[in-house]
Amino acid sequence: MSGINNGMKKRWISLYVENQVGVLSKISGLFSGKSYNLDSLTVGTTEDPTVSRMTIATVSDDETFEQIKKQLNRTVEVIKVIDFTDVFVRMKEIMYIKVQKCTSEDKVECFQIAETFKAKVIDYGRDSLLLEFVQTGTKNDAVIKLMKEEFKSIEVVRGGSVGIESISMMER
């Protein structure tokens, strides 16, 4: 491909799929088989226990993204494909950060960061803290950058974004 960035941009898809064994691996296999990278994939059951909803983030150009959507629509277990890329969506990601080898001053700083970023301190030890963040992926990226700069030893676990169409016209 040529061009500066080839129209590459972050894309979001929400899928309703049959809640069956093997569907997750089939969908992720579709991406890996075509060398499409998954930035994030989350899945959980809906109000109907026979249906799961997936939220997928990928980076691609327009043409590749259209191919992805067509292939997903042709997959037997896929009930509905929703392109969230240019839609007003409520989108959040859960993230845990464990700060280890803390001094007393580090703990004070952690509590201040938690307050600033609307996080919760959910576990506390003699020399460590566990923080829970539920916010956009972009905000979580910023928190990780800050925490890496501020503390010697952190451990990060991210759950991937989930989203739903917004009722009002508010963005992610």
Side-chain angles (χ1 to χ4, degrees):
M1 290 181 174
S2 59
I4 295 170
N5 71 359
N6 304 315
M8 301 295 278
K9 72 176 194 177
K10 188 104 174 195
R11 318 286 179 143
W12 296 93
I13 304 170
S14 183
L15 302 177
Y16 285 98
V17 298
E18 293 174 10
N19 187 8
Q20 298 175 355
V21 173
V23 174
L24 175 59
S25 68
K26 190 170 186 178
I27 299 298
S28 62
L30 183 144
F31 278 79
S32 65
K34 298 289 182 185
S35 298
Y36 305 145
N37 189 40
L38 289 171
D39 284 352
S40 171
L41 186 154
T42 56
V43 62
T45 55
T46 64
E47 65 283 359
D48 178 346
T50 67
V51 176
S52 290
R53 187 152 176 180
M54 293 183 174
T55 305
I56 299 171
T58 188
V59 174
S60 72
D61 58 40
D62 291 340
E63 187 179 336
T64 303
F65 192 60
E66 288 306 314
Q67 288 176 343
I68 291 169
K69 290 190 296 186
K70 282 178 186 166
Q71 284 190 279
L72 289 169
N73 272 311
R74 283 195 299 259
T75 304
V76 174
E77 296 85 356
V78 173
I79 299 163
K80 185 176 182 183
V81 177
I82 306 166
D83 181 353
F84 273 175
T85 305
D86 297 315
V87 175
F88 290 107
V89 175
R90 297 289 177 166
M91 184 97 48
K92 296 286 191 220
E93 172 189 70
I94 190 164
M95 177 176 71
Y96 294 104
I97 297 182
K98 187 185 294 181
V99 183
Q100 301 165 109
K101 301 174 186 157
C102 288
T103 64
S104 296
E105 294 81 21
D106 288 341
K107 287 181 180 178
V108 170
E109 179 73 10
C110 277
F111 275 92
Q112 289 174 335
I113 289 170
E115 188 176 331
T116 301
F117 287 94
K118 297 183 178 100
K120 294 178 187 169
V121 176
I122 60 168
D123 204 358
Y124 187 94
R126 197 174 71 250
D127 67 347
S128 59
L129 278 161
L130 182 58
L131 301 168
E132 179 183 73
F133 298 82
V134 179
Q135 45 199 10
T136 65
T138 304
K139 281 187 182 171
N140 281 344
D141 290 341
V143 169
I144 292 169
K145 184 177 185 293
L146 173 67
M147 300 292 273
K148 285 168 99 174
E149 291 168 359
E150 294 293 319
F151 304 104
K152 292 184 246 37
S153 179
I154 68 168
E155 182 180 344
V156 176
V157 178
R158 296 174 85 160
S161 294
V162 294
I164 192 165
E165 301 89 343
S166 188
I167 295 168
S168 62
M169 297 303 280
M170 301 295 290
E171 291 190 66
R172 347 178 202 265

